[in-house]
Structures are given as C-alpha cells and as structure tokens.
Amino acid sequence: VQLQASGGGLVQAGGSLRLSCAASGRYAMGWFRQAPGKEREFVAAISWSGGSTNYAGSVKGRFSISRDNAENTVYLQMNSLKPEDTAVYYCAADEHSDYATARSGDYDYWGQGTLVTVSS
C-alpha cells in the first residue's frame, strides 16, 4: 500500500490549508503530525465509511477530516491555523479494523509526510 500525502506549505496564522492523502483500498485512515523535537501525535482519524471520526483536542473545531472513497482520497481541512500546528503531517492506513483510532500502533501503513509551516 502506498500512501501519498500532499498539500502542505507555508501559511500565516489564521489561514487554512487542505491536506490530501491518496490511498487505494478499504482502510480506516488517520492523520498524525510531528513537530521538530517532539514526538509524533495524533491529529484526526476517519472510518472507512466516513461515519465515524475522531479528533485530538488541540484541533477539534478547527480541523475536519473527510474522505472520498470514489477518489481513494482522504482530506484534512485545517482552518484557523496556529504556529503550534507547524509540523510534518503524515497520513496512515489501518487495514485491520474500521475504527477511527488515535493509536499510532494500530496503523499498518504510513505516508511520507508533508510539511506544514504556520508563521506568526
């Protein structure tokens, strides 16, 4: 399984970006991020059907995860971005369950990451 994340870039605080992750197959999907000098952390997840979503408290109300299974793509819409959102964002696929899990260990496949930089 190859996961291809895209959409990162430089944006000013308060701005928006939309990340995309192309993934063929029937997977629950998640987004994680890793800031410089910090551990990777959960951002958001979505079940295969899209009926179940899960968000980290730090992004709830600002970020929205969705998917288009016809296009084999998962999106992360990021609004009201803050400098502390600066990180490399990774998409991941869970092939063993249809649960929007926040646990990185539950994911089987990982994309290469896309850098999001939010300037103050």
Side-chain angles (χ1 to χ4, degrees), residues 17-112:
L17 279 175
R18 188 176 78 161
L19 306 183
S20 300
C21 178
S24 59
R26 189 183 180 93
Y27 307 109
M29 296 291 296
W31 285 96
F32 292 77
R33 67 186 181 187
Q34 187 167 20
K38 295 187 176 182
E39 292 188 353
R40 184 172 57 191
E41 65 175 1
F42 169 74
V43 176
I46 188 167
S47 61
W48 158 253
S49 67
S52 176
T53 57
N54 190 8
Y55 295 93
S58 60
V59 306
K60 194 172 292 185
R62 299 188 298 123
F63 290 12
S64 177
I65 189 170
S66 62
R67 66 190 303 158
D68 183 340
N69 288 338
E71 296 294 328
N72 293 322
T73 303
V74 175
Y75 302 98
L76 184 68
Q77 178 67 43
M78 305 186 295
N79 300 326
S80 302
L81 282 161
K82 305 176 181 180
E84 50 264 43
D85 294 317
T86 294
V88 176
Y89 283 71
Y90 299 90
C91 61
D94 174 5
E95 69 173 355
H96 292 107
S97 73
D98 193 29
Y99 180 63
T101 179
R103 300 195 306 179
S104 61
D106 288 341
Y107 290 89
D108 304 288
Y109 306 103
W110 293 81
Q112 86 288 2

